[in-house]
Amino acid sequence: MNMAKINVAIIGASGYSGEELIRLLMRHRGVCLKVITSRQYDGQGVEEVFPRFASSGLKFSAPDVERIAAECDVAFLALPHGLASEYALPLLDKGVKVIDISADFRLRSTAKYKQYYKEEHPSPEVLKRAVYGLPELYREQLKTADLIACAGCYPTSSILPTAPILAAGLAETNDIIVSSMSGVSGAGRKVALPYIFPECNESLKAYSPTGHRHLPEIEQEMAVAAGIEELAINFVPHLVPVNRGINSTVLLKAAAGCTLENIAATYEKAYGNEPFVRVLEHGKTSDTKYVTMTNVCEISYTLDAHTGRIILTSTIDNLTKGASGQAIQNMNIRFGLEETEGLL
Amino acid sequence: MNMAKINVAIIGASGYSGEELIRLLMRHRGVCLKVITSRQYDGQGVEEVFPRFASSGLKFSAPDVERIAAECDVAFLALPHGLASEYALPLLDKGVKVIDISADFRLRSTAKYKQYYKEEHPSPEVLKRAVYGLPELYREQLKTADLIACAGCYPTSSILPTAPILAAGLAETNDIIVSSMSGVSGAGRKVALPYIFPECNESLKAYSPTGHRHLPEIEQEMAVAAGIEELAINFVPHLVPVNRGINSTVLLKAAAGCTLENIAATYEKAYGNEPFVRVLEHGKTSDTKYVTMTNVCEISYTLDAHTGRIILTSTIDNLTKGASGQAIQNMNIRFGLEETEGLL
Amino acid sequence: MNMAKINVAIIGASGYSGEELIRLLMRHRGVCLKVITSRQYDGQGVEEVFPRFASSGLKFSAPDVERIAAECDVAFLALPHGLASEYALPLLDKGVKVIDISADFRLRSTAKYKQYYKEEHPSPEVLKRAVYGLPELYREQLKTADLIACAGCYPTSSILPTAPILAAGLAETNDIIVSSMSGVSGAGRKVALPYIFPECNESLKAYSPTGHRHLPEIEQEMAVAAGIEELAINFVPHLVPVNRGINSTVLLKAAAGCTLENIAATYEKAYGNEPFVRVLEHGKTSDTKYVTMTNVCEISYTLDAHTGRIILTSTIDNLTKGASGQAIQNMNIRFGLEETEGLL
Amino acid sequence: MNMAKINVAIIGASGYSGEELIRLLMRHRGVCLKVITSRQYDGQGVEEVFPRFASSGLKFSAPDVERIAAECDVAFLALPHGLASEYALPLLDKGVKVIDISADFRLRSTAKYKQYYKEEHPSPEVLKRAVYGLPELYREQLKTADLIACAGCYPTSSILPTAPILAAGLAETNDIIVSSMSGVSGAGRKVALPYIFPECNESLKAYSPTGHRHLPEIEQEMAVAAGIEELAINFVPHLVPVNRGINSTVLLKAAAGCTLENIAATYEKAYGNEPFVRVLEHGKTSDTKYVTMTNVCEISYTLDAHTGRIILTSTIDNLTKGASGQAIQNMNIRFGLEETEGLL
């Protein structure tokens, strides 16, 4: 790779998504990681928070848009929702590409944003410039996007197995159920009673069985795939005691004429050349342990004759394909790099 | 408790269900644990396998129907399916009550047995004498049963939240989905590659997404509850890295007129006096960590206006309410003891 | 048990030791659990914090010494160190027996208290009335104690295997090493970054390799056992990803003439009749999984010919024998109840 | 890297060390992975066992020395001890370099081999050609070695923190204690009752507290470091519920004049330029979570004034620095590649 390196900033680098970005970008041959920000750890070496990166020589600094604009081509926002918006416009105005891992620019509808996030959308005018950061569905648009709203973790794991099936008309659009399990890093590096070890270990529980914030995002993209205006699904997430990984089980009502062969062919067409989607042969089921620490989404499928339902399962690493790995994949696409660079 | 103690045998006592039976029966004030059998550990003290029971003085012996008939009033069968049948008839013939934890006598239909267990039912003539061992639904019949077929673990966790809703006509019967997660002890004390620690830990996976052996049992009892001949559901179990616990999420299509108040009232009527069912107030969700090592089934419910689905979750300890605790509850009912004896 | 029940209060009942006290006292036939206090949950039902105790009808109240004195015979203090002292004297003055699970009254030396806890001892005058709450070593004194300072978790696991060996002169007193591992509940229900699930899971680390607060307590009691004024040991605790359990490995320099037979005979004499100490036959090693949720300390021993060291291992449940179970054992002794009541 | 690639075989590639070798070699820019052998999976694609390597196109074959000699420059032996010897000599005879991960060539003394492995050494004549594969101590010899006996996992974690201290005369050589904890992958991909999930999870136990097979290896290399003929230590390993990682705590009696500054300077001199040893500043302690999936050994140290002992802790990933990563580091040294290639 002889071209000049891309200069990169990570804003909000002390959480788990930030850690994963650092891990992946340190071995990426096309970038130079110039700035990592954290208000809390301003001035401290990265090794104070992440000893495994001791050899990098990186230091946290407080976020400084001027400096980032002066030094960087692209900024990853690994911030809580609401906060990301504050950085997006100033950076875009100064010509920095923005790849946002938060939820701020994923929903096209500001009404839905308000309904699910309980506040007005912080910058609706910027929202229009965002491209949804799910490369398998939006690769072309991503090539020229200035603001990329990376798909959420549950959405990535739900949409990837489902979208081609809906697009091919193999399933009904009014009877979709997603039941997901997530490891605890999905909650971020959050210090709260429900997340301490003795509360999570040996615990299995559903949460937000209605109205989870990722629900409208999943519905939005499933509707796009199905070519309809709107659809409504059930999405029930569960918290389970692993560090990393999401397993989603999707149940769909098969449309007339749907067969295992149709499904297999549909996936082959959709994902046969995708570097980060692995569709298992019929009869195998996906397992998070085969995708953790990778950018792969593993998909399995079957058809239940006795109820007429298609059953899909998918597994991803919530921090990689579900967040930081996908963000880098998006960056690679945007900057014309090999899409898999830094991710194999 | 001044009555004479009931003399008890456990056949197949060296697995996890056997261990749980021993644990619970050791503190039960109405029984005397006379015989625990294991071919593999014949002649060894119980502490060779379960050091925590060292003080009991119990010894494993090879199973001997004559001896058990001579010494015991009741025998628990904690054996693999197929094998339980071999002991049931001889014991019944000699007047010993049989409480079977295996799957041999749960399905009323021998055709379904063959379909799902891939072999002819081993003793169809005995099958007719069996009562399904789920006390909340079959308490009256259990009082006089000689052969009790204890409900399976996934079935207990699925049927308890669902049966009252179906019985009350609050949900459709043709659109039922159960997505469950089980701890690894649910596979028994099985020594096989998929169950070694590094394969299970940090792993989340579905298995048997169609055709799991507990499926026809769940369907049978849901149909009974709904008052119809047959129904077909989707049941997708998942293996997750905890020792104990099952979490089932059940999705039902609400019937016309179903409200949160209906559901609450229905549960109150069904379970208001049940010692081992805890229905949470609306807005809370069940968690396995609040039921492990207990005989309780914890249930939560909600109604999703935007899809018209009822969402139920339930949690049990697969070895207690899902197996050995329930077996003892059944015994207490059959022998006229306090139903909660040994289980609080 | 026909005698009047003992009325009991738990002060600071919303942590893990409090939860374990409630769990055990609910099945104790000789007590009535009258008061459970928590400032944070004042007025709320116990099920708001611990759903598994929903059936108890217990309610948290703010701590009120007058009320406790009026209603209770004994109060368990499950409070952070420093705070326990504030309650001890007022309660004792009003005739309530006090069983303290904190560290406030364990060290006889106020100088050591200051050295390790970095503050003056909060009530040195009360300290003199305290009896160290390790029943296997202090049973006689406990029978008449008004203030019982329950042994700490690491100390219980270290002292029980070691004390008889030192008392019998089988080991040197100047070459003692304790290397322990503790589950995360040992840190209490503490909400802090190092204790959230993703930080603890898949993590093994030593902490406080010198100067841990339990060190002087272990040294104090080992010196008593050895019949000398003082001794100094190394104690290195480690944090490991289990909920419950402490495993301590103790290395001692064997004194001249020490043999495996001596050790076995010494343990038999010391613990042959102890209900809660299980010394394994030579060749087996203790495992926390055989003692969790029990009040047992399991001990194993061997002698390494090639270095001349005795190697002891012990396992306890840090919340039971290491805290609340032992506290109840102490109460049983103090009130003349069966020592094992509520603990089997 | 323009030089011709090194052709590599892995013999015994279906275990956890084999999996880790494949993972690391797939991203190594200087090698071509030509042959992976497994009798059990002969003819099957690598994805049948390790789905995460699906894209590699690799296939297992039965081991065939002729073919390996024809196609490969170097063979990694990831076989059980005893078996490795059968391949070493034939491969060496045909000019293939051998990097052995088993224990067959680590002990210089065949007497010790017999004492600890309970059988005669399988090929004492080959043993003399072996160089001990711990790069930080044997880098020069490794550059020309034809047979490399990679250091074991516990030995690597014990020797690295200890050797410089002994070599500098900062500690006594007759009072050394190593207490280690290992994740379950350290037992290999072994299907046996003690390793199934419910037996390991929530379990902490010591095993082989005397006479573990890694003991003589640790003693051999500590003696070399100390410049003496022989020494005897205590080594107590523990099995704990993590997938990967070893934490070793080493206690040494400080020699006269030993200070924290001496220790720090000694480590700086020994490891200041080592790419895979990270000595933490005084006051921090190592944690396996900062080294898993890396080839780093993290070391911390302190000095306990009140007993005169040096306390060292070290953490490694048992499959990386403790096995396959170190094997590749050794290969890089032997073939004149960048030592860190494939390992960052």
Side-chain angles (χ1 to χ4, degrees):
Chain A
M1 207 168 286
N2 281 318
M3 64 174 90
K5 298 216 171 187
I6 299 162
N7 291 312
V8 171
I10 303 170
I11 303 183
S14 68
Y16 291 136
S17 296
E19 180 181 17
E20 182 73 352
L21 279 168
I22 297 172
R23 181 177 80 87
L24 294 168
L25 290 172
M26 278 175 66
R27 65 187 197 203
H28 191 295
R29 289 169 296 173
V31 307
C32 176
L33 186 47
K34 299 283 275 195
V35 177
I36 60 171
T37 84
S38 162
R39 290 189 190 281
Q40 186 182 359
Y41 297 103
D42 180 16
Q44 297 187 45
V46 72
E47 69 279 5
E48 293 300 311
V49 183
F50 306 124
R52 63 169 64 228
F53 304 141
S55 64
S56 70
L58 289 166
K59 261 195 165 41
F60 290 108
S61 57
D64 174 345
V65 169
E66 296 296 329
R67 183 187 155 206
I68 291 167
E71 297 186 17
C72 299
D73 304 298
V74 60
F76 292 95
L77 307 184
L79 296 163
H81 76 268
L83 202 53
S85 298
E86 296 181 22
Y87 289 92
L89 187 57
L91 288 165
L92 288 169
D93 279 351
K94 294 180 194 302
V96 180
K97 309 298 176 240
V98 173
I99 302 179
D100 181 20
I101 298 182
S102 87
D104 277 1
F105 304 105
R106 295 176 191 160
L107 294 181
R108 277 176 212 118
S109 156
T110 53
K112 294 266 182 191
Y113 187 93
K114 188 172 180 190
Q115 180 185 349
Y116 286 91
Y117 290 85
K118 311 296 178 202
E119 49 193 283
E120 295 293 339
H121 190 281
S123 47
E125 69 294 352
V126 182
L127 184 55
K128 296 183 190 78
R129 302 165 63 177
V131 172
Y132 190 66
L134 190 56
E136 290 76 10
L137 301 185
Y138 290 90
R139 187 172 283 114
E140 282 312 306
Q141 296 92 312
L142 288 166
K143 287 179 181 170
T144 56
D146 289 342
L147 171 58
I148 296 175
C150 297
C153 53
Y154 286 124
T156 296
S157 82
S158 310
I159 297 164
L160 284 178
T162 310
I165 304 299
L166 293 175
L170 294 175
E172 310 289 345
T173 58
N174 63 350
D175 193 348
I176 299 175
I177 284 156
V178 179
S179 179
S180 296
M181 304 178 277
S182 174
V184 187
S185 67
R189 213 175 185 202
K190 199 183 307 179
V191 179
L193 183 60
Y195 304 116
I196 67 171
F197 185 88
E199 299 292 318
C200 290
N201 190 38
E202 296 294 298
S203 159
L204 306 173
K205 69 171 164 200
Y207 66 100
S208 303
T210 61
H212 188 280
R213 287 171 168 176
H214 284 178
L215 172 65
E217 182 183 341
I218 299 172
E219 291 179 338
Q220 167 183 291
E221 296 304 319
M222 286 191 181
V224 169
I228 60 179
E229 201 64 35
E230 280 217 316
L231 53 70
I233 73 161
N234 283 101
F235 167 59
V236 186
H238 301 77
L239 187 67
V240 293
V242 300
N243 277 357
R244 288 170 162 238
I246 287 180
N247 183 312
S248 288
T249 295
V250 183
L251 294 109
L252 301 167
K253 204 80 188 175
C258 172
T259 64
L260 278 176
E261 290 67 32
N262 293 155
I263 298 171
T266 298
Y267 277 136
E268 177 57 29
K269 195 171 150 218
Y271 296 140
N273 295 315
E274 283 295 339
F276 295 120
V277 179
R278 180 165 66 231
V279 180
L280 298 178
E281 60 181 286
H282 182 249
K284 298 190 171 175
T285 46
S286 57
D287 189 323
T288 56
K289 75 168 174 264
Y290 295 123
V291 299
T292 41
M293 307 291 280
T294 81
N295 200 48
V296 170
C297 175
E298 195 178 73
I299 294 173
S300 67
Y301 65 92
T302 194
L303 188 53
D304 186 9
H306 103 301
T307 60
R309 277 209 173 83
I310 301 164
I311 304 171
L312 309 175
T313 78
S314 83
T315 53
I316 60 168
D317 185 321
N318 55 299
L319 294 177
T320 318
K321 186 63 177 169
S324 303
Q326 186 146 269
I328 291 169
Q329 187 181 357
N330 288 330
M331 177 193 73
N332 289 342
I333 292 169
R334 175 60 183 81
F335 285 85
L337 305 178
E338 190 70 41
E339 189 168 330
T340 58
E341 174 55 37
L343 297 170
L344 291 181
Chain B
M1 209 168 284
N2 280 318
M3 64 173 87
K5 297 217 171 184
I6 298 162
N7 291 311
V8 171
I10 303 169
I11 304 183
S14 68
Y16 291 135
S17 296
E19 180 181 16
E20 182 73 353
L21 279 168
I22 297 172
R23 181 177 82 86
L24 294 168
L25 290 172
M26 278 175 66
R27 64 187 200 203
H28 191 295
R29 289 169 297 172
V31 307
C32 176
L33 186 48
K34 300 283 275 196
V35 177
I36 60 169
T37 84
S38 163
R39 290 188 191 281
Q40 186 183 356
Y41 298 102
D42 181 16
Q44 298 186 43
V46 72
E47 70 278 6
E48 294 300 311
V49 183
F50 306 124
R52 61 168 65 226
F53 304 142
S55 64
S56 70
L58 289 166
K59 260 194 165 43
F60 290 108
S61 57
D64 174 345
V65 169
E66 296 297 329
R67 183 188 156 204
I68 291 167
E71 298 185 16
C72 298
D73 304 298
V74 60
F76 292 94
L77 307 185
L79 296 163
H81 76 269
L83 202 54
S85 297
E86 295 181 22
Y87 289 93
L89 187 58
L91 288 165
L92 288 169
D93 280 351
K94 293 181 195 302
V96 180
K97 309 300 177 240
V98 173
I99 302 178
D100 181 20
I101 298 181
S102 88
D104 277 2
F105 303 107
R106 294 176 192 160
L107 294 181
R108 278 176 210 117
S109 156
T110 53
K112 295 266 184 191
Y113 187 92
K114 189 173 178 191
Q115 180 186 349
Y116 285 91
Y117 290 85
K118 311 295 178 202
E119 49 193 284
E120 295 293 338
H121 192 281
S123 48
E125 69 293 352
V126 182
L127 184 55
K128 296 184 189 76
R129 301 165 65 177
V131 172
Y132 190 67
L134 190 56
E136 290 76 10
L137 301 184
Y138 290 90
R139 186 172 282 113
E140 281 312 304
Q141 297 92 311
L142 287 166
K143 288 180 180 168
T144 56
D146 290 342
L147 171 58
I148 296 173
C150 297
C153 52
Y154 286 124
T156 296
S157 82
S158 310
I159 297 163
L160 285 178
T162 311
I165 304 300
L166 293 176
L170 295 174
E172 310 289 343
T173 58
N174 62 351
D175 193 349
I176 300 175
I177 283 155
V178 179
S179 179
S180 296
M181 305 178 276
S182 174
V184 187
S185 67
R189 214 175 184 201
K190 200 181 307 180
V191 180
L193 183 60
Y195 304 115
I196 67 171
F197 185 87
E199 299 293 318
C200 291
N201 190 39
E202 295 295 298
S203 159
L204 306 173
K205 70 171 163 199
Y207 67 101
S208 303
T210 61
H212 188 279
R213 286 171 168 175
H214 284 177
L215 172 65
E217 183 183 341
I218 299 171
E219 291 178 338
Q220 166 183 292
E221 296 304 320
M222 287 191 179
V224 170
I228 60 177
E229 202 63 34
E230 281 217 313
L231 52 71
I233 72 161
N234 283 100
F235 168 57
V236 186
H238 302 77
L239 188 68
V240 292
V242 300
N243 277 357
R244 290 169 162 238
I246 287 180
N247 184 312
S248 288
T249 295
V250 183
L251 294 110
L252 300 167
K253 202 80 189 174
C258 173
T259 64
L260 278 175
E261 291 66 32
N262 292 156
I263 298 172
T266 298
Y267 277 136
E268 177 57 29
K269 193 170 152 218
Y271 297 140
N273 294 314
E274 283 296 338
F276 296 121
V277 179
R278 181 165 66 231
V279 180
L280 299 178
E281 59 181 284
H282 182 250
K284 297 189 172 177
T285 47
S286 58
D287 189 324
T288 57
K289 75 169 174 263
Y290 295 122
V291 298
T292 42
M293 306 292 280
T294 82
N295 200 48
V296 170
C297 176
E298 194 178 75
I299 294 173
S300 68
Y301 64 92
T302 193
L303 188 53
D304 186 9
H306 102 303
T307 61
R309 277 209 172 81
I310 301 164
I311 304 172
L312 310 175
T313 79
S314 84
T315 53
I316 61 168
D317 185 321
N318 56 300
L319 294 176
T320 318
K321 186 61 178 170
S324 304
Q326 186 145 270
I328 291 169
Q329 187 182 358
N330 287 329
M331 179 194 72
N332 288 342
I333 292 169
R334 175 59 183 82
F335 285 86
L337 306 178
E338 189 71 41
E339 191 169 329
T340 57
E341 174 56 36
L343 297 171
L344 291 181
Chain C
M1 208 167 284
N2 281 318
M3 64 173 90
K5 296 218 172 184
I6 299 162
N7 292 313
V8 172
I10 304 170
I11 303 184
S14 68
Y16 291 134
S17 295
E19 180 181 18
E20 182 73 353
L21 280 168
I22 297 172
R23 181 178 79 87
L24 294 168
L25 290 172
M26 278 176 66
R27 65 187 200 204
H28 191 294
R29 289 170 295 173
V31 308
C32 176
L33 186 47
K34 300 282 273 196
V35 178
I36 60 170
T37 84
S38 164
R39 291 190 189 281
Q40 186 182 359
Y41 298 103
D42 181 16
Q44 298 186 45
V46 72
E47 69 278 5
E48 294 300 311
V49 184
F50 306 123
R52 63 168 65 228
F53 304 142
S55 65
S56 70
L58 289 166
K59 260 194 165 43
F60 290 107
S61 56
D64 173 346
V65 168
E66 295 298 328
R67 182 187 156 205
I68 291 168
E71 297 185 18
C72 298
D73 304 298
V74 60
F76 291 94
L77 308 184
L79 296 163
H81 77 267
L83 202 53
S85 298
E86 295 181 22
Y87 290 92
L89 188 56
L91 288 165
L92 287 168
D93 280 350
K94 294 181 194 302
V96 180
K97 308 298 175 241
V98 173
I99 302 179
D100 181 21
I101 297 182
S102 87
D104 276 1
F105 303 106
R106 295 176 190 159
L107 294 181
R108 278 176 210 115
S109 157
T110 53
K112 294 266 183 192
Y113 187 93
K114 187 173 180 190
Q115 180 185 349
Y116 286 91
Y117 290 85
K118 311 296 179 204
E119 48 193 285
E120 295 293 338
H121 191 281
S123 48
E125 70 294 351
V126 182
L127 183 57
K128 295 184 191 75
R129 300 165 64 176
V131 172
Y132 190 66
L134 190 55
E136 291 76 9
L137 301 184
Y138 290 90
R139 187 171 282 114
E140 281 313 306
Q141 296 92 312
L142 288 166
K143 288 179 182 170
T144 55
D146 290 341
L147 171 58
I148 296 174
C150 296
C153 53
Y154 285 125
T156 296
S157 83
S158 310
I159 296 164
L160 284 178
T162 311
I165 304 299
L166 293 175
L170 294 175
E172 310 289 344
T173 58
N174 62 351
D175 194 349
I176 299 175
I177 284 156
V178 178
S179 178
S180 296
M181 304 179 278
S182 175
V184 187
S185 67
R189 216 175 183 202
K190 199 182 309 181
V191 179
L193 183 60
Y195 304 116
I196 67 172
F197 186 87
E199 298 293 316
C200 289
N201 190 38
E202 296 295 299
S203 159
L204 306 172
K205 69 171 164 201
Y207 65 100
S208 302
T210 62
H212 187 280
R213 286 170 170 178
H214 284 178
L215 172 66
E217 183 183 341
I218 299 171
E219 291 178 337
Q220 167 183 291
E221 296 304 319
M222 286 192 180
V224 170
I228 60 179
E229 202 63 36
E230 280 216 315
L231 52 70
I233 72 161
N234 283 100
F235 167 59
V236 186
H238 301 76
L239 187 68
V240 293
V242 300
N243 277 358
R244 288 170 162 239
I246 288 179
N247 183 312
S248 288
T249 295
V250 183
L251 295 110
L252 301 167
K253 203 79 189 175
C258 173
T259 64
L260 278 175
E261 291 68 32
N262 293 156
I263 298 171
T266 298
Y267 278 135
E268 177 57 29
K269 194 171 152 217
Y271 297 140
N273 294 315
E274 283 296 338
F276 295 120
V277 179
R278 181 164 68 231
V279 180
L280 298 177
E281 59 181 284
H282 183 249
K284 297 189 171 175
T285 46
S286 57
D287 189 323
T288 57
K289 75 168 175 264
Y290 295 123
V291 298
T292 41
M293 306 291 280
T294 81
N295 200 47
V296 170
C297 176
E298 194 177 76
I299 294 172
S300 67
Y301 64 92
T302 193
L303 189 54
D304 185 10
H306 104 299
T307 60
R309 277 210 173 83
I310 301 164
I311 304 172
L312 309 175
T313 79
S314 83
T315 53
I316 60 168
D317 185 321
N318 56 299
L319 294 177
T320 319
K321 186 62 178 170
S324 303
Q326 187 146 272
I328 291 169
Q329 188 182 357
N330 288 329
M331 178 195 72
N332 288 341
I333 292 169
R334 176 59 183 81
F335 285 86
L337 306 178
E338 189 72 40
E339 190 168 331
T340 58
E341 176 54 37
L343 297 171
L344 290 182
Chain D
M1 210 169 283
N2 279 319
M3 63 174 90
K5 296 216 171 185
I6 298 162
N7 292 312
V8 171
I10 303 170
I11 304 184
S14 68
Y16 291 134
S17 296
E19 181 182 15
E20 181 74 353
L21 279 168
I22 297 172
R23 180 177 81 87
L24 294 169
L25 290 172
M26 278 175 66
R27 65 185 198 205
H28 192 294
R29 290 170 294 172
V31 307
C32 176
L33 186 47
K34 301 282 275 193
V35 178
I36 60 169
T37 85
S38 163
R39 290 188 190 283
Q40 187 182 356
Y41 297 102
D42 181 16
Q44 298 187 44
V46 72
E47 69 278 5
E48 294 299 311
V49 184
F50 306 124
R52 63 168 65 227
F53 304 142
S55 64
S56 70
L58 289 166
K59 260 193 166 42
F60 290 108
S61 57
D64 173 345
V65 169
E66 295 297 328
R67 182 186 156 205
I68 292 168
E71 297 186 16
C72 299
D73 303 299
V74 59
F76 292 95
L77 307 184
L79 296 163
H81 77 268
L83 201 55
S85 298
E86 294 181 22
Y87 289 93
L89 188 56
L91 287 165
L92 288 169
D93 280 350
K94 293 180 195 303
V96 179
K97 308 300 176 239
V98 173
I99 301 179
D100 181 21
I101 297 181
S102 88
D104 276 2
F105 303 106
R106 295 175 191 159
L107 293 181
R108 277 176 210 116
S109 157
T110 54
K112 294 266 183 189
Y113 187 93
K114 187 173 180 191
Q115 180 186 349
Y116 286 90
Y117 290 84
K118 311 297 179 201
E119 49 193 285
E120 295 293 338
H121 190 280
S123 48
E125 70 294 351
V126 183
L127 184 56
K128 295 184 189 77
R129 301 165 64 176
V131 172
Y132 191 67
L134 190 55
E136 290 77 9
L137 301 184
Y138 290 90
R139 186 171 282 114
E140 281 312 305
Q141 297 93 312
L142 288 166
K143 288 179 180 169
T144 55
D146 290 342
L147 171 58
I148 297 174
C150 297
C153 52
Y154 286 125
T156 296
S157 81
S158 311
I159 297 164
L160 284 179
T162 311
I165 304 300
L166 293 175
L170 294 175
E172 309 289 343
T173 57
N174 62 349
D175 194 348
I176 300 175
I177 284 156
V178 179
S179 179
S180 296
M181 304 179 278
S182 174
V184 187
S185 67
R189 217 175 181 201
K190 200 181 306 180
V191 179
L193 183 60
Y195 303 116
I196 66 172
F197 185 88
E199 299 293 318
C200 291
N201 190 38
E202 295 295 299
S203 159
L204 306 173
K205 71 173 163 199
Y207 66 100
S208 302
T210 61
H212 187 278
R213 285 170 169 177
H214 284 177
L215 172 64
E217 183 183 340
I218 299 171
E219 290 179 339
Q220 167 184 291
E221 296 303 321
M222 287 191 180
V224 169
I228 60 178
E229 202 62 36
E230 281 217 314
L231 52 70
I233 72 161
N234 283 100
F235 167 59
V236 185
H238 301 77
L239 188 67
V240 293
V242 299
N243 277 357
R244 288 169 164 239
I246 287 179
N247 184 311
S248 288
T249 295
V250 182
L251 294 110
L252 301 167
K253 203 79 190 178
C258 174
T259 64
L260 278 175
E261 291 68 32
N262 292 155
I263 297 171
T266 298
Y267 278 135
E268 178 57 29
K269 193 170 152 219
Y271 297 139
N273 294 314
E274 283 296 339
F276 296 120
V277 178
R278 180 165 66 231
V279 180
L280 299 178
E281 60 182 282
H282 183 250
K284 298 189 171 176
T285 46
S286 57
D287 189 323
T288 57
K289 76 168 173 264
Y290 295 122
V291 298
T292 42
M293 306 291 281
T294 81
N295 200 47
V296 170
C297 176
E298 194 177 75
I299 293 172
S300 68
Y301 65 91
T302 192
L303 188 54
D304 185 10
H306 104 301
T307 60
R309 278 210 172 82
I310 301 164
I311 304 172
L312 310 174
T313 78
S314 83
T315 52
I316 60 167
D317 184 320
N318 56 299
L319 294 176
T320 318
K321 186 61 178 170
S324 304
Q326 186 145 270
I328 291 169
Q329 188 182 358
N330 288 328
M331 179 195 72
N332 288 341
I333 292 169
R334 176 59 183 81
F335 285 87
L337 306 177
E338 189 71 39
E339 191 168 330
T340 58
E341 174 56 38
L343 297 170
L344 290 182

